[in-house]
């Protein structure tokens, strides 16, 4: 029996008596090869023979018979051939209401759709994977599924979700609800109500975010806006990056309104100058170019390169100025700095306040290291710390203490109630209530009610001591502090003293009105060989020479006294001899007188 060229159906041989047999076989094959088409409600009217097919014309569902029941199989599908041999036809699965536009070629609908909500492809080589009420209108566009999604830009893609639109060429919506991609190559990953407006704009997800300029990016979050070219908002809530290449990493209600500006996070922070930065915190502002606020609350960096690291209500308001932290500090001098503390101000050029409270450095390159209520008002003046200290002269210094004032240029005042009024003066006040003041230029004045000690050796074996209440220095002179002790000849020392020229004179630095008395150091050194050099006379050496000379003089006086005593003895002896002679002479005179008198002779 010959076979037909199609479907393997058979025909009877000519003149065959059993011609009906192959025809009956063909009828049995028709039951499985020919699809039954009817409404779903009438599917039970047909016998589910093994291999039979049934298409529900109102739902698009396909069933296969297994000999006893209709089993769901592949959804309804149809192929629409192309108008010409060099074009590709369209394939449509799902509900019969799904459709391909008359001008489309190579289009595909994978399934889905209903009579009232069909899927529609109008773009060439466009695809809809499934879902309902989806539209793929751009050439090579794709809608993966979901509801009411539209891919209208060429090569655009909507992965799924609801109410999403891919309008831009090469644009992508991953999913979510009511997301819109308008720009070429723009992307919305998901979320709800997001808009990627211009070329290559990107939104990762979140709610009601906007990437409005080319290359702008919003990572996620809520109601964030990347408004400038190449701007980035990583996430957070109601943040805005308004100018080119500016960035808001996160937080809430933060904004960047200048190119390349950055806000890391926090709340209501504003970076409004080019290349300015706010790392975080609350209500901080960076309004100067390259200015930085690290964090804290209500801090500002207001000029070019200014920095406020943190704290509360601090201000760096001049070029290059900085406030590290603390509260209500102000650095308003160029390159000025405040380290921290409270209510401190650095207003001078390159001035510094390290910390403390209520202190100020207003002079050029002036410094207050810390303390309370201290002021460095003159150029290069300095206060180390303490309380109510003032450095008001150029390059003047108060290292610390209380109520000290260095008012003269290059003056130094320390301790308590020390006032250096003259230029180059050094004043030290003790702890008493009695202030001490130096008014003479280059004066050194020390108030030390407990005395003063100066050691000239590191082991404290030599030096001088001005005891409390004393008016003169005492030098270390114990035997234990001395070595190479040699006896001296007082007579020789006295001879040396006698050889010195002692004169009055004045120091050249003092003037003629101030007179002094003493030898010259060169002659003193030559006469006695004492001291470290021949330019100075040490008090201890002068005292030692004086002591030795006194001893020598005492010895001479002793010798003279002995001689005087000897002479006095000799004089006494002579007086005695004289008295005896006088008595003898007198006696002889009396005798001679009696012999010459006649009256006496008769007797």
């Amino acid at each position: 029996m010959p076979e037909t060229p199609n479907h393997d159906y058979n025909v009877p041989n000519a003149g065959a008596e059993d011609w009906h047999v192959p025809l009956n076989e063909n009828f049995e094959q028709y039951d499985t090869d020919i699809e039954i088409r009817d409404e779903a409600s009438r599917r039970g009217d047909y016998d589910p023979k093994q291999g039979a097919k049934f298409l529900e014309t109102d739902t698009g569902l396909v069933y296969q018979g297994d000999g006893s029941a209709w089993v769901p199989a592949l959804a309804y599908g149809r192929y629409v051939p192309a108008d010409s041999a060099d074009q590709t036809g369209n394939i449509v699965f799902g509900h019969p209401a799904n459709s391909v536009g008359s001008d489309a070629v190579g289009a595909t609908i994978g399934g889905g759709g209903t009579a009232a909500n069909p899927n529609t492809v109008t773009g060439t080589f466009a695809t809809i994977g499934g879902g309902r009420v989806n539209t793929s209108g751009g050439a090579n566009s794709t809608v993966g599924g979901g509801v009411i999604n539209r891919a209208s830009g060429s090569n655009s893609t909507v992965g799924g979700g609801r109410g999403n639109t891919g309008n831009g060429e090469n644009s992508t919506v991953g999913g979510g609800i009511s997301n819109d991609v308008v720009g070429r190559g723009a992307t919305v990953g998901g979320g709800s109500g997001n808009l990627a407006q211009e070329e290559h704009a990107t939104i990762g997800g979140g709610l009601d975010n906007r990437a409005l300029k080319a290359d702008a990016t919003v990572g996620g979050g809520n109601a964030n806006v990347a408004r400038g070219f190449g701007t980035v908002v990583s996430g957070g809530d109601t943040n805005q990056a308004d100018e080119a290449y500016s960035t808001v990493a996160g937080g809430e209600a933060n904004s960047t309104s200048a190119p390349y500006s950055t806000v890391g996070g926090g709340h209501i922070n504003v970076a409004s100058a080019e290349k300015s930065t706010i790392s975080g915190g609350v209500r901080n502002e960076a309004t100067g170019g390259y200015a930085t606020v690290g964090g804290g609350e209500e801090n500002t960096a207001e000029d070019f390169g200014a920095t406020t690291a943190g704290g509360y209500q601090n201000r760096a308001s001049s070029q290059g100025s900085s406030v590290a932290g603390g509260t209500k500090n102000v650095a308003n001098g160029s390159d000025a700095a405040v380290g921290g503390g409270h209510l401190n101000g650095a207003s001078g050029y390159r001035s510094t306040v390290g910390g403390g409270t209520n202190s100020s450095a207003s002079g050029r390159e002036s410094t207050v290291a810390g303390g309370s209520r201290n002021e460095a008002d003159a150029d290069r003046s300095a206060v180390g710390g303490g309380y109510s200290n003032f450095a008001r002269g150029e390059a003047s210094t108060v290292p610390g203490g209380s109520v000290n004032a260095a008012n003269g240029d290059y003056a130094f005042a320390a301790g308590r109630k020390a006032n250096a009024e003259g230029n180059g003066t050094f004043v030290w006040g003790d702890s008493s209530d009695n202030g001490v003041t130096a008014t003479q230029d280059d004066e050194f004045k020390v108030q030390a009610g407990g005395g003063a000690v100066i050691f000239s050796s590191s082991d404290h074996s030599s030096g001088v001591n001005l005891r409390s209440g004393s008016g003169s220095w005492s030098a270390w002179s114990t035997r234990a502090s001395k070595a190479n002790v040699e006896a001296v000849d007082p007579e020789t020392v006295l001879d040396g003293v006698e050889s010195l020229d002692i004169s009055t004179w004045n120091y050249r630095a003092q003037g003629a009105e101030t007179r002094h008395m003493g030898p010259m150091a060169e002659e003193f050194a030559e006469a006695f060989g004492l001291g470290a050099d021949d330019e100075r006379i040490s008090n201890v050496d002068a005292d030692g020479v004086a002591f030795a000379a006194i001893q020598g003089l005492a010895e001479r006086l002793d010798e003279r006294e002995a001689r005087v005593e000897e002479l006095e003895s000799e004089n006494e002896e002579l007086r005695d001899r004289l008295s005896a002679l006088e008595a003898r002479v007198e006696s002889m005179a009396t005798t001679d007188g009696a012999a010459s008198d006649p009256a006496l002779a008769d007797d």
Side-chain angles (χ1 to χ4, degrees):
M1 179 169 30
E3 294 184 353
T4 61
N6 295 312
H7 304 293
D8 294 328
Y9 295 131
N10 297 320
V11 294
N13 293 322
E17 296 181 358
D18 57 350
W19 57 269
H20 62 284
V21 174
L23 293 179
N24 289 335
E25 292 176 353
N26 289 338
F27 288 137
E28 292 178 0
Q29 189 171 350
Y30 293 157
D31 288 339
T32 58
D33 289 347
I34 299 175
E35 184 180 71
I36 303 170
R37 296 184 178 182
D38 207 340
E39 295 179 354
S41 60
R42 300 180 63 182
R43 177 166 32 88
D45 297 340
Y46 299 91
D47 184 15
K49 292 183 180 180
Q50 181 72 38
K53 301 179 183 64
F54 184 91
L55 170 64
E56 294 180 348
T57 56
D58 53 349
T59 67
L61 297 178
V62 174
Y63 291 82
Q64 286 186 337
D66 63 358
S68 60
W70 291 106
V71 179
L74 184 67
Y76 174 78
R78 62 186 182 276
Y79 174 72
V80 181
D83 294 336
S84 63
D86 61 345
Q87 293 181 334
T88 302
N90 303 312
I91 297 176
V92 180
F93 284 92
H95 196 277
N98 293 332
S99 64
V100 175
S102 60
D103 294 332
V105 295
T108 302
I109 298 179
T114 67
N117 299 299
N119 295 312
T120 303
V121 174
T122 60
T124 299
F125 294 101
T127 300
I128 294 178
R132 59 191 176 91
V133 205
N134 296 310
T135 302
S136 185
N140 308 311
S141 62
T142 302
V143 176
V147 181
I148 321 177
N149 296 309
R150 184 174 70 253
S152 58
S154 60
N155 307 311
S156 63
T157 302
V158 177
R162 179 185 180 91
N164 298 307
T165 303
N167 290 322
E169 181 182 356
N170 306 322
S171 63
T172 302
V173 179
I177 301 175
S178 300
N179 296 307
D180 191 7
V181 178
V182 179
R184 180 177 180 271
T187 302
V188 175
S192 176
N194 297 308
L195 170 63
Q197 178 93 26
E198 292 194 2
E199 183 177 18
H200 307 133
T202 302
I203 297 178
L207 175 66
D208 294 329
N209 296 305
R210 301 287 183 268
L212 302 179
K213 287 292 184 180
D215 299 317
T217 301
V218 177
N222 175 58
N224 297 307
V225 181
R227 189 173 281 113
F229 180 83
T231 55
V232 176
V233 178
S234 299
D237 188 278
T238 59
N239 297 308
Q240 297 185 37
D242 294 338
E243 292 296 330
Y245 302 106
S246 63
T247 301
V248 177
E252 180 183 16
N254 299 307
S255 65
T256 54
S257 56
Y260 308 100
S261 58
T262 302
V263 175
H267 179 65
I268 318 181
N269 297 307
V270 179
S272 59
E274 185 173 347
K275 299 179 179 67
S276 60
T277 301
I278 299 177
S279 298
V282 179
R283 295 185 180 88
N284 298 307
E285 296 183 13
T287 58
Y290 299 90
T292 301
V293 177
E297 182 174 0
E298 296 183 17
N299 298 307
T300 60
E302 301 170 13
D303 206 340
F304 184 86
T307 301
T308 300
Y312 175 69
Q313 289 187 352
N314 295 309
R315 292 179 57 213
S317 58
S318 291
Q319 179 174 326
S321 61
S322 61
V323 178
T327 59
K328 299 183 178 181
N329 298 306
V330 178
N332 55 353
S334 295
D335 299 322
V338 177
H342 177 66
L343 288 174
N344 296 309
S347 58
Y349 173 72
R350 292 183 177 174
S351 59
T352 302
V353 177
T357 179
N358 289 286
S359 296
S360 64
S362 57
R364 180 185 179 92
E365 298 175 344
S366 60
T367 301
V368 175
S372 175
R373 301 185 185 279
N374 296 312
E375 296 179 13
D377 299 333
D379 293 351
R380 290 170 288 279
S381 60
V383 176
Y387 174 78
S388 292
N389 296 307
F390 304 93
R392 292 173 174 153
E394 182 179 353
S396 61
T397 302
V398 178
S402 174
V403 200
N404 299 302
N407 295 325
D409 294 345
Y410 318 107
F412 181 97
R416 181 168 185 247
K417 293 186 176 181
N419 295 302
E421 301 293 340
N423 295 332
T425 55
F426 182 105
V427 184
W428 185 280
D430 62 15
S431 64
S432 69
D433 290 331
N434 302 316
V436 56
T437 300
T439 58
Q440 180 70 35
D441 287 352
D442 303 313
E443 182 179 5
F444 182 92
K445 184 175 286 188
V446 175
Q447 179 191 43
V453 176
I454 299 176
F455 291 109
S456 58
S457 63
S458 298
D459 62 358
H460 302 172
S461 63
S462 59
V464 291
N465 182 356
L466 179 63
R467 292 191 175 275
S468 176
S470 176
S472 61
W473 291 98
S474 300
W476 259 254
S477 193
T478 64
R479 182 174 294 275
S481 65
K482 300 173 182 178
N484 301 316
V485 177
E486 296 179 3
V488 298
D489 179 16
E491 285 282 347
T492 303
V493 174
L494 182 57
D495 290 339
V497 172
E498 290 177 338
S499 69
L500 291 177
D501 291 330
I502 307 299
S503 56
T504 63
W505 38 266
N506 63 271
Y507 285 111
R508 296 180 186 277
Q510 286 186 310
E513 67 278 4
T514 304
R515 306 296 292 172
H516 301 279
M517 179 183 292
M520 303 303 163
E522 296 87 348
E523 296 176 7
F524 186 87
E526 183 179 358
F528 304 109
L530 301 175
D533 53 53
D534 63 356
E535 296 181 353
R536 299 163 186 83
I537 298 176
S538 169
N539 288 340
V540 68
D541 292 335
D543 291 345
V545 168
F547 284 132
I550 291 170
Q551 285 184 345
L553 182 59
E555 289 179 2
R556 288 186 182 181
L557 290 176
D558 287 344
E559 291 176 358
R560 289 182 182 182
E561 184 177 353
R563 178 60 178 159
V564 168
E565 289 179 354
E566 180 182 349
L567 292 174
E568 286 179 350
S569 177
E570 291 178 356
N571 287 339
E572 184 66 27
E573 182 181 347
L574 291 173
R575 280 196 297 270
D576 290 345
R577 292 176 63 187
L578 179 59
S579 295
L581 289 172
E582 288 177 348
R584 186 175 179 182
V585 169
E586 183 178 355
S587 174
M588 293 175 63
T590 302
T591 303
D592 290 343
S596 61
D597 189 349
L600 293 176
D602 292 339
D603 292 335

